[in-house]
Amino acid sequence: MTSQKMEKFGTKEVTSLTTWYYRKGVEEYRVTLPVALPSMPDEEMTFSTTLPLEFSSGTSICLRSSLSQVHVKVDGELIYDSGTAGSGGLIDSRWNLVQLPLSAAGKTLEISLVSKHAGRAGTLNEVVIGDESTILLNIVRRYGSGLIIGILIFLLGVLLLPLHFIMDKKSFPRQEEIYLSLFAMATSGWLLGESKMLQFFTGNGTFTTLLPFISLLLLPMPLVLYVEDFGELKNKWLLRTLFWAFVGNFIICNVLHFAGIADFYTTIPVLHLLMIVAIISITAILVREAVARHNKRATYLLLAQSVLFISSLAEFVLFYRRDFSVTTIGLQIGLLCYIAVLSWYYYSKIKSLMQKNQETRYLRGLAYRDLLTGGKNRTAYYEDIPKYFNATSQKLSWLMLFDLNNLKDINDCYGHAAGDEALRTAFICIEECFAKYGSCYRIGGDEFAAFLDGPGEQEIEQAIQCFERTVREKDAQMPYEFQVALGFGWYDNTIYENFESLSQEVDRRMYANKVKQKIGRTAAPTPKEKPLAANHVASPKQG
């Protein structure tokens, strides 16, 4: 017997029993594991080797069987039987961990494989010997990455579902995220099943065996729908036909398997054929879109799909060559590259949309902002009218109109810079006293306004007194006379037909106050000068 050291964990080692003998008739052949010999359905294939002369108590051997029943004997005595076929006549794929009796040291170890599928019984994977916990640790180190990748892809699929519902439907109008999510979850089911690790999390061998087959049958459906939904592609009828072909194949394969007519492994060549047709069709459609129509979205998808398709074709070749020791590795890499390319595409798209939204918000801000005062402008004024003044509002909604006196004289005598400063100062006075109740605007050259939502008459009177005081303080600091006329009123839809009628009345009051200021009367009216009803502004007749 020849053995090769595989791994060392602290003081414990796992070694591989690499040299075995296979007897066919009277001839005996030496083989090195892993090995794949031709075999017929239900043919028993037996391999033998000699165990080490010494090993400690608790020493076990471990081998991975795929769709094969396993018998282990020591000097002809059966010490392990993996069991019979499960659902649909399909034998579980599993790790077979067999504890050796101490009396087996130096004796002949025989492993017999039986499978209903041609070639499977002739496939003997690596057989290792060592302490049970060390063997399990070795399995985790070698195959744990596949489990992690499967879990990560599953979580990605789960995260994509809510992303579809929070995305802006104008920017992402299609169902791409849903199809990608379903594709990721189906892919993760296949990867988890092929990771060779699920056996240690569930004792259900049927589940761990069926999961990769069912996931593989489901996997092409969301992928085809994703390509169909990706953009304005030609020949969508072909993609739809492929989708229904995969749906039909899924139903037929399940019926055949669970009826015991043909298990999933037997029907898998049909799925592979459909996949090859889909690969050729999708590639042709995307090449046409990318080259002939210069579709950038199709170019991104073609790049991603090409990596996935090449790795899938390599997987097919390895599968039919029965090189099961490296299957799924290439496809795992292909799937990761596929997801990376599409992730970059969506990252670029979302980044571009965020930049556009930022520019839109900036431009929208400019559209509603008065550049001189920094406050809201006339456009914002008209935009906000329905928000403050509507028939359903339960609060008092006030309209305040202001006018800076003598702006032309200030510009003529002190210059336009002084006039601009006067306008800014007027807006500062308005904001300082009224902004806490609502919004303030510059709506014309020397005209300002404020919409106030909710304050009562007493609060309005206090705000007006604050405004008068602030204007007087600013006037004392100016080299010219600084006065701001004010008119105000609140909206009652039983008195005013609409906002326009309220505005006309408040504007009349503001100009009346302006005239008073020019002939030396009070700086601004107060609520006492214009009696207010409990629930409405005084009507024009009351004025």
Side-chain angles (χ1 to χ4, degrees), residues 381 399-402 430 439-443 447-451:
Y381 171 83
L399 170 63
M400 320 292 291
L401 293 178
F402 309 86
I430 295 167
S439 301
C440 303
Y441 312 83
R442 182 188 175 204
I443 58 175
E447 297 176 343
F448 303 87
F451 293 154

Side-chain angles (χ1 to χ4, degrees), residues 13-15 58-62 97 128-135:
E13 297 177 351
V14 173
T15 59
T59 297
S60 301
I61 62 166
C62 183
L97 192 60
V128 297
I129 184 170
D131 177 78
E132 181 175 325
S133 60
T134 310
I135 291 174

